[in-house]
Amino acid sequence: MTSANVRVGLLGACGRMGNLLIRRILATEGMELSAAFDLVNIGKDIGEAIGVGPLGVPVSDSKDLAKVLKESRTDVLIDFTIAAATAVNAPAAAAAGVNLIIGTTGLSAEQKTGITKAVADNNVAAVISSNYSIGVGVFFKLIKQAAEYLGDDYDVEIIEAHHNQKKDAPSGTAQTAAEIISEAMGGKDIIYGREGICPRGKEICIHAVRGGDIVGDHTVMFIGNSERIEIRHQAHSREIFVGGAVMAAQWVVKQKKGVVYDMSDVLN
């Protein structure tokens, strides 16, 4: 690191998550905001843009990402934007020697591979997670244990619900949950919704609900003959993701470089 404080850059700084992240960074001892990027308010002080007063950090265009990150001596960049943007910006930040916290969902396997390669090639560290909630970390552990105990005798269905502005489906959290259960049960196909004639096999099915202002609900159903077990996580506020992301930013700068971690590593 370049100073006593962890210097944090933020993509999507003027959005809802960006606003919450900045406020949390400002309130966290040992952290400071060093750079802010967005498509709007370029050149304006980010503190004035989000209503917290001048911070001395202008909003920059992501086209200038590498230059601004170097000049601001940023240690770690937090990205909760969209997959297409993250796939470009994350490698650019890594090439500038900046560690990464990525909460963007909907990344393809090819995009993830590109980011992982950039992290290794540029000897930085990264945390990539579909969900930064501490509670979801516990949720993942519980569903893994349940899957290991229950095995093939139980059918598995996953229902996730989010607000009507969420662009990708299913959620990254639901996809991660399905992958955890599939591995614990020895490998199962994952499908998405059902329509028409589709008799149930041993697959794991994910159902996506979109409506209103739901922050994020995830329910895993283990369904057997004569009984059903449900494990559920409900997010009441985006603050739970903000706290985890800031925790990860403090953590990642101290880790071995060239490695991509996930939130389970941070919590452990």
Side-chain angles (χ1 to χ4, degrees):
M1 293 183 295
T2 56
S3 70
N5 288 342
V6 177
R7 296 176 61 80
V8 184
L10 184 62
L11 284 157
C14 298
R16 286 183 296 182
M17 277 295 291
N19 191 314
L20 292 172
L21 281 161
I22 289 171
R23 292 170 189 270
R24 179 61 68 93
I25 290 165
L26 295 176
T28 302
E29 185 177 355
M31 303 192 81
E32 61 182 292
L33 185 70
S34 58
F37 302 89
D38 211 306
L39 300 175
V40 298
N41 294 316
I42 293 173
K44 187 174 182 178
D45 187 288
I46 184 59
E48 294 180 338
I50 68 169
V52 298
L55 296 176
V57 178
V59 179
S60 300
D61 193 316
S62 61
K63 290 185 293 186
D64 301 320
L65 184 75
K67 176 176 179 287
V68 172
L69 290 176
K70 288 180 179 178
E71 290 179 351
S72 62
R73 297 177 292 113
T74 294
D75 298 306
V76 57
L77 180 69
I78 301 178
D79 184 355
F80 278 76
T81 57
I82 60 173
T86 298
V88 174
N89 291 327
V98 176
N99 303 293
L100 298 166
I101 302 298
I102 298 176
T104 302
T105 58
L107 291 167
S108 68
E110 182 180 1
Q111 289 169 332
K112 289 179 182 177
T113 298
I115 294 170
T116 299
K117 185 176 186 301
V119 167
D121 290 348
N122 293 285
N123 199 36
V124 297
V127 177
I128 301 178
S129 180
S130 59
N131 196 305
Y132 280 82
S133 159
I134 294 171
V136 165
V138 176
F139 171 79
F140 286 155
K141 291 180 182 296
L142 292 174
I143 62 174
K144 179 180 180 181
Q145 289 179 332
E148 290 171 345
Y149 278 118
L150 299 173
D152 276 344
D153 291 338
Y154 286 72
D155 297 320
V156 181
E157 299 284 297
I158 299 173
I159 303 170
E160 59 98 339
H162 285 82
H163 54 88
N164 58 21
Q165 299 301 305
K166 184 171 176 60
K167 295 180 174 61
D168 59 307
S171 70
T173 302
Q175 185 69 39
T176 300
E179 291 167 357
I180 289 170
I181 294 166
S182 176
E183 182 178 358
M185 289 184 163
K188 289 186 178 296
D189 292 336
I190 299 171
I191 66 170
Y192 307 94
R194 294 189 181 87
E195 183 181 10
I197 300 172
C198 46
R200 201 191 199 291
K202 291 297 184 180
E203 73 279 358
I204 298 169
C205 188
I206 304 176
H207 309 270
V209 176
R210 296 289 176 268
D213 61 354
I214 301 170
V215 175
D217 291 358
H218 293 87
T219 302
V220 174
M221 305 171 69
F222 295 94
I223 309 166
N225 294 326
S226 304
E227 66 177 1
R228 178 172 77 246
I229 299 170
E230 294 187 7
I231 301 174
R232 175 181 295 176
H233 179 274
Q234 293 178 295
H236 298 165
S237 165
R238 288 178 177 81
E239 287 286 354
I240 62 170
F241 313 127
V242 170
V246 171
M247 178 193 298
Q250 291 177 301
W251 180 88
V252 76
V253 296
K254 303 171 185 175
Q255 306 311 309
K256 180 181 177 181
K257 306 305 181 185
V259 180
V260 174
Y261 302 92
D262 62 29
M263 195 57 186
S264 66
D265 298 310
V266 179
L267 296 176
N268 286 338

